[in-house]
Amino acid sequence: MNPVKSLLQVFGSRKMAALILLGFSSGLPLFLTSKTLQAWMTVENVDLTAIGLFSLVGVPYSLKFLWSPLLDWFTLPFLGRRRGWLIAIQIGLLIAIACMALQQPKQALQLLAINAVAIAFLSATQDIAADAYRTDVLEQLEMGAGAAVFVLGYRIALLLTGSLALILADNIPWSTVYLLMSIGMGIGIIATLFAPEPKQISPPESLTAAVILPFGEFIQRQGILQALLTLLFIVLYKLGDSFVNNMSTPFLLQTGFTQTDIGAIQGGMGLIATIVGTLAGGAFLSKIGLNRSLWVFGALQAVSNLAYLVLAQVGKNYQVLLLTINIENFCAGLGTAAFVAFLMNMCNQRYSATQYALLSSFMAVSRDILVAPAGSLAKNTGWPLFFVISILAAVPGLLLLPFFAPWNPKPEAVTRPGIEPEEEDIWGTK
């Protein structure tokens, strides 16, 4: 078969169209409780330390494995095992995001935090359902493309909530911005309605089984030591990137750029860089294998933080800002595409909601918990040294790569659960 025609068939399917829109729905709430919310609090003159601590609002992303067995075991009486949960949660998110329009960061910071935590909880639950749906619906050879288009939709949502929202905020009140952003959840609702149903897989027989069996199967398959190393690797692989993402908006605002400056550049060239990086990540993954992708993209992800270090040195410079935003978006697209494919390959489809939630919860530990002191760190060290520290924070994850992605892997050592070694090629074994 013509490889170009085959690639177009994969990327142009109804399944991929649904995944890019579900990725958008999954990404929409994240910045509304993190970077975009930080911008709102910054212009309201909330203390920088409090802004940094607000990353703890994202704790539900790190704990979602605790209630993920419910989504593996219980099926709502409409739209199937995965899509029923998706549409119910998406409606809840639309309402919760709209409620942010009632908040006042300077006068009632606690109420703002409660509303943000509610959004984060619903968003984390949507991620459980969306990640499980993606893992269940994709065939083995579609995984690279599926990871790429889902991440692409996710990144487009981040650019919308982190770019268009900032541009709008320079012209209309923040409360109106959040009201408009809530309407975006309608895209996810529409996507869920027309998304194809995954093949039927028998769910766990009871809630108890849904809690115990996924963790037991994962540990039995990996071994206790390897399972612990896997979870540690997931925590550390994107730590350096998480440090930068947590404080990039306050940094750019304090450097002298306006909200419109940040939003316009991220929403313009930044969007193009994200699209190119994400699709390139999926394409390169199918060519060089997942193992080599984790090495190459992980290194580029770490090096990309140098762009912020340069910007911190030169100050307000639009050319350097443009370069910085493009490098960050491109490298983030590459790294995330490979990392999502890695997480999917770690899951048994029968327990995909619980196992993927467990793995991605540990990924969220670095994004939401380990970076909580980032505001205080930046305040005490200054921005240039902060970005140096962010680069060093990426090193431990790279040092663990030989345990999970040897450059020339053995086929039998990296087989996805339920896939025979001779069928496997995503890891670059052929």
Side-chain angles (χ1 to χ4, degrees):
M1 181 182 291
N2 186 319
V4 175
K5 182 179 179 181
S6 176
L7 192 63
L8 290 175
Q9 287 176 340
V10 171
F11 276 101
S13 67
R14 174 188 169 196
K15 187 184 297 184
M16 295 300 165
L19 285 176
I20 193 171
L21 296 179
L22 289 175
F24 178 89
S25 179
S26 188
L28 186 74
L30 181 62
F31 277 2
L32 298 179
T33 57
S34 55
K35 293 182 71 172
T36 302
L37 183 58
Q38 289 172 343
W40 187 7
M41 290 190 291
T42 299
V43 299
E44 291 285 339
N45 296 316
V46 175
D47 182 71
L48 191 61
T49 299
I51 293 174
L53 289 173
F54 241 73
S55 68
L56 294 175
V57 163
V59 165
Y61 291 104
S62 301
L63 299 179
K64 61 186 178 182
F65 67 91
L66 295 176
W67 62 92
S68 60
L70 179 63
L71 278 72
D72 261 338
W73 168 66
F74 186 73
T75 301
L76 294 173
F78 47 84
L79 292 182
R81 185 184 181 204
R82 303 304 187 195
R83 294 191 301 142
W85 278 108
L86 275 171
I87 201 163
I89 297 161
Q90 287 161 348
I91 292 171
L93 275 167
L94 190 154
I95 296 170
I97 295 171
C99 286
M100 289 289 281
L102 305 175
Q103 305 303 326
Q104 299 179 11
K106 189 66 174 179
Q107 288 76 25
L109 199 59
Q110 290 182 338
L111 287 178
L112 179 70
I114 292 171
N115 198 158
V117 168
I119 294 172
F121 174 79
L122 289 170
S123 178
T125 308
Q126 179 186 216
D127 287 351
I128 295 170
D131 294 336
Y133 173 82
R134 185 184 65 241
T135 303
D136 291 353
V137 81
L138 290 174
E139 302 295 334
Q140 188 67 23
L141 295 179
E142 298 173 324
M143 291 187 64
V149 298
F150 189 90
V151 170
L152 174 58
Y154 195 97
R155 295 290 299 182
I156 291 173
L158 297 188
L159 289 167
L160 175 71
T161 55
S163 301
L164 179 60
L166 292 175
I167 295 172
L168 291 173
D170 267 347
N171 300 281
I172 61 176
W174 269 107
S175 57
T176 307
V177 171
Y178 269 82
L179 196 59
L180 291 173
M181 292 296 110
S182 69
I183 299 173
M185 288 306 305
I187 293 175
I189 294 171
I190 294 171
T192 300
L193 289 173
F194 81 79
E197 185 69 18
K199 63 182 180 181
Q200 295 298 315
I201 299 174
S202 299
E205 290 76 14
S206 66
L207 182 57
T208 301
V211 173
I212 296 174
L213 294 179
F215 302 109
E217 191 275 340
F218 181 76
I219 292 174
Q220 182 180 24
R221 170 162 41 95
Q222 294 270 316
I224 294 177
L225 179 59
Q226 185 69 12
L228 292 175
L229 284 174
T230 298
L231 298 178
L232 181 62
F233 168 70
I234 291 170
V235 169
L236 296 177
Y237 185 70
K238 293 183 73 67
L239 181 59
D241 195 47
S242 297
F243 262 94
V244 168
N245 285 334
N246 188 45
M247 296 306 297
S248 61
T249 299
F251 161 67
L252 294 174
L253 289 170
Q254 290 191 356
T255 301
F257 297 105
T258 68
Q259 295 173 112
T260 298
D261 291 335
I262 300 167
I265 292 176
Q266 284 183 325
M269 292 300 296
L271 175 58
I272 295 173
T274 300
I275 293 172
V276 173
T278 304
L279 295 180
F284 278 118
L285 192 151
S286 66
K287 295 295 184 182
I288 67 176
L290 182 53
N291 282 26
R292 295 180 181 90
S293 295
L294 287 169
W295 279 96
V296 175
F297 301 161
L300 290 174
Q301 191 173 250
V303 171
S304 69
N305 290 3
L306 285 171
Y308 275 98
L309 176 60
V310 172
L311 184 59
Q313 296 285 355
V314 302
K316 186 179 179 181
N317 183 297
Y318 286 98
Q319 289 75 23
V320 178
L321 172 64
L322 182 65
L323 185 63
T324 298
I325 295 298
N326 276 279
I327 290 173
E328 191 275 331
N329 279 277
F330 180 78
C331 293
L334 290 174
T336 305
F339 201 45
V340 167
F342 170 78
L343 296 181
M344 286 193 291
N345 270 274
M346 292 290 103
C347 297
N348 183 313
Q349 284 193 336
R350 192 181 183 202
Y351 315 112
S352 54
T354 301
Q355 289 187 348
Y356 197 99
L358 171 67
L359 300 179
S360 58
S361 290
F362 276 82
M363 178 177 66
V365 166
S366 64
R367 187 189 67 205
D368 302 323
I369 297 178
L370 295 185
V371 299
S376 178
L377 183 64
K379 189 176 179 179
N380 290 309
T381 64
W383 290 115
L385 183 54
F386 172 79
F387 291 121
V388 171
I389 293 171
S390 76
I391 297 170
L392 295 176
V395 173
L398 296 176
L399 293 178
L400 284 171
L401 268 174
F403 293 96
F404 306 98
W407 192 258
N408 294 301
K410 296 179 180 179
E412 66 272 18
V414 292
T415 302
R416 186 185 182 200
I419 303 295
E420 294 298 323
E422 60 268 24
E423 298 175 358
E424 183 68 60
D425 69 352
I426 193 172
W427 290 86
T429 60
K430 293 185 180 180

